[in-house]
Amino acid sequence: MGEGMTDAAQIIPQEARQRVTAPLEQAWTLPPAAYFDDTLFNLEVENIFCQDWVCVARAEQLPNPGDYVCVDLVKQPIVVARDMQGELHALSTICLHRAMPVVTGTGNGTRFVCPYHHWTYELNGKLRSAPMMEGVADFEPSACSLPRLALEEWHGFIFVNMDTNATPLSPQLTGLEALTEAYEFENLEIAETIEFDSPWNWKILVENFMEAYHHIGPHQNTFEPIYPARQSSIPDNDGAPWSFLHMPGVPHTEGQTSSFPNLPDDRRDDLFAAVVFPTFLFAASNQTGAWYQLDPQGPGEMHLKIHALVHKDMAPHMDAQGRAELRAGLTHVHAEDITVNQGPWRGLQAPMTDQGRLSLYEKSIWHLNQFWAKRLGF
Ligand code: FES
Ligand SMILES: [Fe+2]
């Protein structure tokens, strides 16, 4: 951080920073400004969203050559495309001419044609042609390319990183992989998706997703009887950029067939939730998985897609009723969570609000806070 530039330490007083980075037993939550301050959000964009791995798609969303999916990485619109050789590319969609997005939405095609002046790009981002540019000095279309992002596929999840020199992701996830491999994420596919505009800070949702302490609150009649808060546990992550929440269940699945043949019997009643920081959220029971795809757009703005994932052998056999039940289940639980996202979002902006103490059942929040503090340089 250069001389004269704002850094997080100038906005968050030293005492508040020390409360965040203290060992879990002594730790406090992030200060309220971490959730609504515009400067801190811009620092998150610069130091987290421009440098960390973000999950943007599932591989089965792009099964064929020419398939593409567009997503926004905060302010950066990107496209993930499968080229004719089957290779995946992640590219900025912004035209090299006058900044028009060359593609939006999802689809299949052999090239991207900018709607403005028809500059035409290959699926790997190379500029193939630019009409009426004769006589323009030192302009060689074949030397031009849409900016690339790093891309890694992890068990069917496609992660991208705007920092092409970033440390590869998979080696950082070996600990998480060991905890989740029985679920064979690569065999899942998206069965249903529900979408929400979520006008609150993205960290509020991540925190809520990663602790079972609140089962005794909004989920007292849904999760708490099956996955009691007090049984939940969160292993150490040794400073890696992920966290894992284990929610052992009271026996309730006897006679059910599990979607995951390699899931040990003693884990069949359990639920887990996992996060790869900053925003990859995933949960699974012995039947289905849920991927929460977050797209933060500002300190208090976020679009959320909740995808229900089922085993790929099961997906073709799902009838309309099964799908409706899947949607209803996710919608119901999320409605319970919305109340405890909206409330704190309002509360955090109240002038008399300060940091709060963390329960030991909220170790994942402490993990997030250590990640956040490290990225923001304190
Ligand atoms: S902005 Fe894309 S061709 Fe002009
Ligand atoms: Fe919840």
Side-chain angles (χ1 to χ4, degrees), residues 27-47:
W28 297 63
T29 61
L30 293 180
Y35 300 84
F36 63 77
D37 184 275
D38 287 319
T39 306
L40 286 175
F41 182 75
N42 290 336
L43 288 169
E44 286 182 347
V45 172
E46 192 181 319
N47 296 299

Side-chain angles (χ1 to χ4, degrees), residues 96-110:
L96 300 174
H97 178 220
R98 274 175 39 223
M100 178 75 188
V102 302
V103 58
T104 55
T106 61
N108 182 280
T110 52

Side-chain angles (χ1 to χ4, degrees), residues 208-209 211 214-215 218-219 223 333 336-337 340:
N208 175 246
F209 192 88
E211 51 94 348
H214 75 285
H215 287 189
H219 306 309
F223 281 160
V333 167
E336 294 177 340
D337 282 321
V340 293

Side-chain angles (χ1 to χ4, degrees), residues 95-100 102 114-119 121:
C95 187
L96 300 174
H97 178 220
R98 274 175 39 223
M100 178 75 188
V102 302
C114 179
Y116 206 167
H117 314 91
H118 285 198
W119 287 27
Y121 299 87

Side-chain angles (χ1 to χ4, degrees), residues 3-250:
E3 193 77 21
M5 288 171 78
T6 311
D7 65 20
Q10 284 175 273
I11 301 168
I12 304 174
Q14 190 186 24
E15 190 199 353
R17 279 182 270 133
Q18 283 170 347
R19 285 167 149 191
V20 169
T21 54
L24 173 61
E25 294 74 12
Q26 287 143 42
W28 297 63
T29 61
L30 293 180
Y35 300 84
F36 63 77
D37 184 275
D38 287 319
T39 306
L40 286 175
F41 182 75
N42 290 336
L43 288 169
E44 286 182 347
V45 172
E46 192 181 319
N47 296 299
I48 295 177
F49 293 105
C50 289
Q51 295 189 32
D52 276 291
W53 292 94
V54 175
C55 183
V56 291
R58 287 275 311 168
E60 79 275 359
Q61 291 178 286
L62 307 119
N64 302 310
D67 286 346
Y68 63 84
V69 174
C70 294
V71 280
D72 287 342
L73 256 183
V74 195
K75 290 175 185 155
Q76 177 63 58
I78 69 157
V79 61
V80 179
R82 196 178 288 283
D83 69 18
M84 293 306 154
Q85 285 69 48
E87 200 185 327
L88 288 169
H89 303 274
L91 309 162
S92 163
T93 64
I94 302 306
C95 187
L96 300 174
H97 178 220
R98 274 175 39 223
M100 178 75 188
V102 302
V103 58
T104 55
T106 61
N108 182 280
T110 52
R111 59 192 70 113
F112 304 126
V113 182
C114 179
Y116 206 167
H117 314 91
H118 285 198
W119 287 27
T120 300
Y121 299 87
E122 310 277 5
L123 297 171
N124 64 10
K126 260 192 183 314
L127 181 60
R128 172 197 176 107
S129 62
M132 298 166 69
M133 291 290 284
E134 303 85 1
V136 175
D138 302 323
F139 177 68
E140 180 47 62
S142 65
C144 302
S145 216
L146 295 171
R148 291 183 82 77
L149 294 87
L151 182 149
E152 248 187 74
E153 195 178 325
W154 186 75
H155 299 285
F157 291 104
I158 297 171
F159 285 81
V160 299
N161 197 320
M162 281 192 249
D163 177 4
T164 48
N165 293 315
T167 314
L169 177 67
S170 305
Q172 303 182 64
L173 301 185
T174 48
L176 179 62
E177 202 161 32
L179 291 162
T180 56
E181 63 190 349
Y183 293 88
E184 299 166 15
F185 295 162
E186 56 281 2
N187 291 330
L188 298 177
E189 66 176 56
I190 296 174
E192 287 292 314
T193 298
I194 52 177
E195 295 192 48
F196 301 87
D197 280 316
S198 307
W200 51 84
N201 186 267
W202 64 276
K203 296 187 292 301
I204 292 178
L205 185 86
V206 174
E207 293 172 357
N208 175 246
F209 192 88
M210 286 307 299
E211 51 94 348
Y213 184 15
H214 75 285
H215 287 189
I216 61 175
H219 306 309
Q220 59 181 309
N221 300 316
T222 47
F223 281 160
E224 179 62 16
I226 311 172
Y227 309 112
R230 203 171 264 287
Q231 285 186 22
S232 67
S233 66
I234 297 161
D236 292 337
N237 67 2
D238 299 319
W242 54 265
S243 196
F244 179 85
L245 167 64
H246 184 204
M247 292 165 273
V250 301

